Amino acid sequence: MSDIEMRLAQERRFVERRIEALREAIEQGRAKPGDAGRLATAMYELKSMVLSPVTDEELLETVRWAHAADPSDPKPLEVLVGALCVARVRAGDSRWDAELDAATRELEARAPDAPVLDMVRRARSDLQSLLEENRPRRGERGA
């Protein structure tokens, strides 16, 4: 195993242990304010690793729970928006669009400077540009 592989495996184990500890604290009623958000962030981090065992559905379920558990903390909402964007791209369909739009609007109202909102805005702008470029023009077939 190379040094890089060893470091990646070590980092993965660290994130998995952090998730286990947070889940245990939550289950045993020892959670501190912000632990739901930290769990959501750690799950997102694990999901982004190569060969992650975390599915989109599992991540979304955890992040939705974290947001419901502490609606005053914008972090789970930010992670939810990011997770929905990634799931939307991976799935290639629109099943999460309504939830993504609602979560994005809520995050814009509560934390307008959240970095994930820049990603959403860029993605929407790119999509709009693509649609405009491919729109049939007058005199073309389909216009």
Side-chain angles (χ1 to χ4, degrees):
M1 188 179 269
S2 73
D3 285 346
I4 292 174
E5 290 171 324
M6 287 175 41
R7 275 188 252 147
L8 289 173
Q10 184 179 25
E11 183 179 335
R12 182 185 182 125
R13 283 191 304 276
F14 176 73
V15 173
E16 288 171 339
R17 283 191 212 118
R18 191 168 24 138
I19 290 169
E20 289 171 18
L22 287 164
R23 282 184 170 159
E24 183 178 301
I26 290 165
E27 288 170 4
Q28 294 179 357
R30 298 182 289 109
K32 298 175 185 145
D35 277 356
R38 284 186 274 283
L39 176 60
T41 301
M43 286 289 291
Y44 190 84
E45 189 177 336
L46 182 58
K47 173 68 177 152
S48 69
M49 292 181 176
V50 175
L51 301 174
S52 173
V54 179
T55 65
D56 287 332
E57 290 76 16
E58 181 182 8
L59 174 61
L60 289 170
E61 179 182 325
T62 301
V63 176
R64 287 176 185 127
W65 170 85
H67 176 52
D70 190 358
S72 66
D73 183 2
K75 189 63 181 174
L77 184 58
E78 185 175 352
V79 177
L80 178 60
V81 169
L84 286 165
C85 283
V86 171
R88 168 69 169 93
V89 169
R90 277 197 188 115
D93 63 37
S94 60
R95 73 182 119 160
W96 290 297
D97 284 0
E99 184 179 7
L100 175 58
D101 288 344
T104 300
R105 281 191 304 277
E106 184 180 349
L107 185 59
E108 286 172 333
R110 296 186 55 227
D113 295 330
V116 74
L117 290 174
D118 289 335
M119 178 181 74
V120 172
R121 289 178 190 120
R122 279 193 311 274
R124 286 181 176 162
S125 176
D126 291 348
L127 178 60
Q128 187 62 36
S129 295
L130 184 63
L131 290 173
E132 287 175 10
E133 288 173 12
N134 292 311
R135 180 178 297 140
R137 299 192 183 20
R138 278 205 157 162
E140 293 182 4
R141 284 168 78 194

